[in-house]
Amino acid sequence: MIKRLTVFCGSSFGTEPIYKDQAYELGKKLAEEQIGLVYGGANSGLMGTVANGVIEHNGEAIGVLPHFLKGREIAHDKLSDLILVDTMHERKTKMNDLSDGVITIPGGYGTLEELFEMMTWAQLGLHQKPIAVLNTNGFYDDLLQMIQTMVDKGFVKEVNQKMLIVDDQIDSLLNKIKNYQAPQIDQWISKDEV
């Protein structure tokens, strides 16, 4: 059962209004489905927008923000809870601990780093949670092609590629997340070794 999902996304809005619109709709849908939001805690860009979609529809929104970013990424002041941590690694670990899966929407370097860390942890067998990309307006098409290239060139196993759930519609993406069955993979290392 999915109680909370982490959403990775940009702290800016990007160049196309659809990114903001979809972020808000995702937050609204999570609230309607009674799925709590775990995210980076900021009030800016798509981060603030997805949180607003949750909050304005009476959902749970939990932010996880490193102390050193509190001045830069203005903390959202209407969250259900704001957890302050010391490092970026602690932030991702806490977000993972609090959620039952991940959705990635448009963002920059930090968003990609968060997505791929979760994918790497799944590949290593450290978790079996669903990891999804909401491919708004084809934003991640080139990245998905690059992943296919990594498979074709022998750097990523097809079973690991299939761990990534992709859709461009919120409803069908959430349905895929709810029905996700993780492949059986040997655990390479323990969580304590990370």
Side-chain angles (χ1 to χ4, degrees), residues 99-145:
S99 71
D100 302 304
V102 169
I103 297 176
T104 302
I105 64 176
Y109 288 146
T111 302
L112 290 180
E113 188 270 335
E114 291 164 332
L115 168 64
F116 280 108
E117 182 138 16
M118 291 291 92
M119 290 295 295
T120 301
W121 290 1
Q123 177 181 306
L124 294 173
L126 298 176
H127 72 77
Q128 295 187 321
K129 298 175 183 182
I131 304 167
V133 167
L134 180 59
N135 192 22
T136 302
N137 205 27
F139 182 83
Y140 284 112
D141 285 353
D142 292 335
L143 180 66
L144 297 169
Q145 182 56 55

Side-chain angles (χ1 to χ4, degrees), residues 7-193:
V7 175
F8 295 136
C9 58
S11 59
S12 60
F13 292 112
T15 58
E16 299 175 33
I18 192 170
Y19 303 142
K20 183 177 180 183
D21 294 344
Q22 280 284 76
Y24 187 85
E25 287 303 313
L26 175 60
K28 177 183 174 185
K29 187 66 175 180
L30 291 176
E32 289 172 353
E33 298 269 333
Q34 297 183 340
I35 298 171
L37 167 69
V38 178
Y39 84 113
N43 193 24
S44 57
L46 299 187
M47 292 174 73
T49 303
V50 73
N52 289 338
V54 170
I55 294 163
E56 292 169 13
H57 293 87
N58 303 310
E60 176 190 45
I62 299 172
V64 183
L65 188 67
H67 291 284
F68 72 91
L69 283 180
K70 195 172 178 191
R72 214 174 208 199
E73 293 180 0
I74 308 296
H76 202 299
D77 62 358
K78 294 185 177 148
L79 300 176
S80 309
D81 193 11
L82 178 66
I83 299 167
L84 295 173
V85 295
D86 292 325
T87 68
M88 295 296 279
H89 184 71
E90 282 182 68
R91 182 191 217 180
K92 285 176 289 198
T93 301
K94 177 57 81 175
M95 292 166 85
N96 181 55
D97 290 345
L98 291 170
S99 71
D100 302 304
V102 169
I103 297 176
T104 302
I105 64 176
Y109 288 146
T111 302
L112 290 180
E113 188 270 335
E114 291 164 332
L115 168 64
F116 280 108
E117 182 138 16
M118 291 291 92
M119 290 295 295
T120 301
W121 290 1
Q123 177 181 306
L124 294 173
L126 298 176
H127 72 77
Q128 295 187 321
K129 298 175 183 182
I131 304 167
V133 167
L134 180 59
N135 192 22
T136 302
N137 205 27
F139 182 83
Y140 284 112
D141 285 353
D142 292 335
L143 180 66
L144 297 169
Q145 182 56 55
M146 184 65 228
I147 294 171
Q148 183 61 55
T149 299
M150 289 188 283
V151 171
D152 294 344
K153 303 295 183 183
F155 289 99
V156 172
K157 292 180 181 174
E158 192 171 345
V159 67
N160 298 130
Q161 178 189 29
K162 289 181 179 176
M163 290 176 172
L164 187 60
I165 300 165
V166 180
D167 208 301
D168 61 358
Q169 300 298 314
I170 294 168
D171 288 341
S172 51
L173 185 75
L174 287 175
N175 191 50
K176 289 177 183 178
I177 288 170
K178 290 174 186 175
N179 292 298
Y180 177 72
Q181 296 290 321
Q184 295 303 311
I185 295 176
D186 293 331
Q187 186 170 347
W188 294 10
I189 57 176
S190 73
K191 192 173 182 181
D192 296 333
E193 294 177 280

